[in-house]
Amino acid sequence: MVWCDGFPLLIRLPLVAAWGLLAAALLVPLATARFVVEKNSLMVTSPPELRGRHDSAIANFGIPQYGGSMAGAVVYPRNNVMACDPFPGTRPFKTNPGAPPTFLLVQRGDCHFAKKVWNAQKAGASAVLVIDDKDEPLITMDLPSDDDEAAQYIQNLTIPSALIDKRSGEQLKEAVRSGDMVHVNLDWSEAVPHPDDRVEYELWTNSNDECGVKCDMLIDFLKEFKGAAQLLEQGGYTQFTPRYVTWYCPEAFIISRQCKSQCINRGRYCAPDPEENFSTGYEGKDVVMENLRRLCVFKVANETKRPWIWWDYVTDFTIRCPMKDKKFNKECADNVMKSLAGLDVNKIDQCMGNPDDDNEHPILKEEQDAQVGTGSRGDVTIMPTLIVNNRQYRGKLDKKAILKAICAGFEETTEPAVCLSDDIETNECLNNNGGCWQDNASNITACKDTFRGRVCECPIFDTIQFEGDGYNSCKALGPGKCRINNGDCWRETHDGKTFSACQEFEDDGCQCPDGFKGDGARACEDIDECKEKTACQCPECSCKNTWGSYECTCSGDLLYIKEDDICISKGENNSTAALSAIMMVTILLAIASCVAYIVYKYRIRSYMDSEIRAIMAQYMPLDNQGDVQNHSHDDSHV
């Protein structure tokens, strides 16, 4: 496994012949290593004869616009076509107001890729296209190694760049030279797969903090990205896995001093010497042990359902235990872990095991196996490496850029809020409402901003569901729909009276109310019932139309009865009322008489029965029957 740019290659350690042989032996399996070039799409939109789509290789520096695209006009410089020297003047390729961004087309060769892009960026270019100098499969443009000059600018590279094949590049160059307007579009929208609402990503790093510019960039990134990473993990939006590259020592060199100082578990897991000097400072096995400790921190934190603690440990360790302060050791690491709630130091020690054991370590073995690419992903050869949804990220380790790459991995409309924050969202809805339906009166829109741009979907507003295509129309449905712009139906108010064609609980469109006619949506016209002879048909009636209704009046002293559409005299109406009152009183009197009669009959019958029993008791006394009192002759008996 090769460590590129900033992480020393094994062949950079020729301190002794044995180590040189070891390095050569370790490089044997690299001949079959599979490196995958991550690509984006280059679409030529003009001139017409060059219109078409081409592949381009994403550079391993700068900030690619993952999840988005960038359109611009191609410019080929008259001089300095290699872009190896600074361009004269003050930002000669700066985009003028109202003009498309400038894509500077340059030739490959004579200097590092990153230097070409840096010179173009300083000259005001928005993106760089590098023409390959030979017919070959596309390669990944990487940062230079051990370049003091490059160290001054690689952290400041912010524009995207891509390598294009020689044939396509020459066609673009000739079109520009002939005076044609050449417009292209770089598209990264499909550079990261986005199958569902959760993103899985890995960060292949190293605990060595003395490897130069790339180590500094990595440390800065970890500190800046920690908050966003923890929010994504705590919300269940992502599944993050830290990864660490390790080598193995060939069997023939296991007992060598070099392997013993760089490896643990009897040569199975190794790392290069941090200072590239075996006689001073830390050894490679110190790096391997810290790598393993971080893996165990993640394992123990994950068991407690708090995997995001890994970010706290790593960032705290880089601050409190740097190599330059001679604190890169277990004692300092234990102090960091003890300060973080939820980390059991004993469990982590047990997880790490004995570095002198002559057997495989399950966690480090898993890391070695994971280094080998599977499916569409190539082997991990560039350090550090971010892998999002099994696709290797290319570009600068920058919080905004990495967040864009991760957010590009979400299925559209499922992105968490952090992906739609002001510093990364495109917010296409601000421009002409994204071309979606909008109700200006109610301030309701179908435009929904997503990480890749916008989608037009009819919304749910104030519990009211809208349905439609989202572009040309959205219609409120169900209860409450009349509260939203009256359900897009007709509605008017005259003289304090309001009529509406909106049917609150009906979804069959707008219907003009009684007394009106029309389509119900644009207009409802008042029906003249008098003119159409549908009201006031009695001979004595006269009709007057009103808005939404009518009024009927009768001649003389006649009174109009609307239910029967007739006119009657007021006296007749009074006699009828009096007759009704008399009838009601008569009925009540009759009922009262019946009730009184029933009560009277009951009491008389009871009295007569009592008298008869008394008389019969005097003349025919019954056995064990006492005297019965005679109510009518109490005073004549002794």
Side-chain angles (χ1 to χ4, degrees), residues 352-366:
M352 294 180 65
N354 186 352
D356 297 325
D357 286 346
D358 186 10
N359 50 43
E360 290 185 344
H361 194 290
I363 292 181
L364 291 177
K365 179 64 168 61
E366 180 182 346

Side-chain angles (χ1 to χ4, degrees), residues 413-427:
T413 74
T414 68
E415 304 93 338
V418 67
C419 290
L420 301 176
S421 57
D422 292 339
D423 60 337
I424 68 168
E425 70 174 336
T426 56
N427 209 348

Side-chain angles (χ1 to χ4, degrees), residues 119-132:
N119 288 331
Q121 179 177 305
K122 288 195 300 180
S126 299
V128 176
L129 302 176
V130 180
I131 306 174
D132 203 349

Side-chain angles (χ1 to χ4, degrees), residues 28 43 57 65 99-100 116 164 189 195 221 229 254 257 266 307 342 348 366 395 430 550 561 594 605 629:
V28 171
M43 179 68 185
Q65 302 299 313
K116 299 175 186 288
I164 59 177
S189 60
F221 166 73
I254 287 177
R257 182 172 63 90
R266 196 171 170 77
I348 293 171
E366 180 182 346
L430 294 179
Y550 60 90
I561 305 299
C594 290
R605 184 180 182 85
Q629 183 179 3

Side-chain angles (χ1 to χ4, degrees), residues 249-527:
C249 183
E251 185 72 25
F253 300 96
I254 287 177
I255 62 173
S256 67
R257 182 172 63 90
Q258 290 79 12
C259 271
K260 288 182 177 180
S261 65
Q262 312 307 309
C263 309
I264 66 173
N265 291 75
R266 196 171 170 77
R268 289 179 174 83
Y269 314 108
C270 313
D273 187 282
E275 296 87 2
E276 301 185 27
N277 187 336
F278 296 133
S279 59
T280 62
Y282 290 97
E283 298 177 323
K285 66 180 180 182
D286 296 319
V287 176
V288 179
M289 289 299 292
E290 179 56 28
N291 290 346
L292 177 57
R293 182 177 291 110
R294 295 183 179 189
L295 290 169
C296 287
V297 165
F298 179 76
K299 179 178 182 294
V300 172
N302 201 31
E303 290 173 352
T304 61
K305 309 299 183 184
R306 299 172 64 199
W308 49 85
I309 295 180
W310 179 90
W311 290 90
D312 292 320
Y313 172 78
V314 171
T315 53
D316 286 1
F317 185 90
T318 58
I319 295 171
R320 297 170 58 180
C321 311
M323 288 183 173
K324 64 181 179 180
D325 294 342
K326 308 302 180 183
K327 294 181 179 180
F328 191 91
N329 52 46
K330 177 176 172 20
E331 179 183 359
C332 189
D334 287 349
N335 290 333
V336 173
M337 288 187 287
K338 290 175 182 177
S339 66
L340 297 175
L343 281 182
D344 189 326
V345 176
N346 292 330
K347 282 188 176 181
I348 293 171
D349 288 342
Q350 293 173 6
C351 170
M352 294 180 65
N354 186 352
D356 297 325
D357 286 346
D358 186 10
N359 50 43
E360 290 185 344
H361 194 290
I363 292 181
L364 291 177
K365 179 64 168 61
E366 180 182 346
E367 296 301 292
Q368 283 187 339
D369 293 341
Q371 290 169 205
V372 181
T374 58
S376 61
R377 199 209 84 189
D379 299 342
V380 177
T381 57
I382 297 176
M383 292 294 291
T385 290
L386 180 77
I387 296 176
V388 181
N389 285 351
N390 207 38
R391 190 73 61 82
Q392 290 191 24
Y393 164 86
R394 298 291 185 230
K396 180 182 178 182
L397 276 183
D398 171 82
K399 174 184 176 181
K400 181 178 179 180
I402 298 299
L403 193 57
K404 286 177 72 70
I406 291 174
C407 291
F410 289 103
E411 185 181 11
E412 284 186 307
T413 74
T414 68
E415 304 93 338
V418 67
C419 290
L420 301 176
S421 57
D422 292 339
D423 60 337
I424 68 168
E425 70 174 336
T426 56
N427 209 348
E428 294 180 13
C429 295
L430 294 179
N431 184 16
N432 194 33
N433 196 49
C436 304
W437 171 87
Q438 184 178 27
D439 183 352
N440 291 317
S442 302
N443 196 26
I444 304 173
T445 176
C447 189
K448 182 185 295 185
D449 197 61
T450 70
F451 178 73
R452 292 180 188 81
R454 66 93 182 95
V455 293
C456 297
E457 292 182 352
C458 293
I460 297 177
F461 178 79
D462 194 20
T463 72
I464 302 170
Q465 175 67 59
F466 286 76
E467 290 187 2
D469 61 13
Y471 294 91
N472 300 313
S473 65
C474 285
K475 185 176 181 181
L477 298 177
K481 68 176 184 178
C482 295
R483 291 188 282 115
I484 305 298
N485 199 27
N486 199 52
D488 290 330
C489 299
W490 170 87
R491 182 175 184 269
E492 281 190 32
T493 300
H494 282 187
D495 301 326
K497 297 169 63 177
T498 300
F499 289 89
S500 169
C502 184
Q503 306 295 310
E504 184 75 29
F505 298 98
E506 299 290 339
D507 291 331
D508 54 353
C510 304
Q511 297 180 3
C512 291
D514 293 339
F516 294 87
K517 62 181 179 180
D519 60 11
R522 292 183 297 272
C524 286
E525 180 183 354
D526 176 47
I527 297 175

Side-chain angles (χ1 to χ4, degrees), residues 49 127 147 253 544 549 573 595:
E49 60 270 18
D147 190 318
F253 300 96
K544 177 183 179 183
S549 186
N573 188 56
V595 171

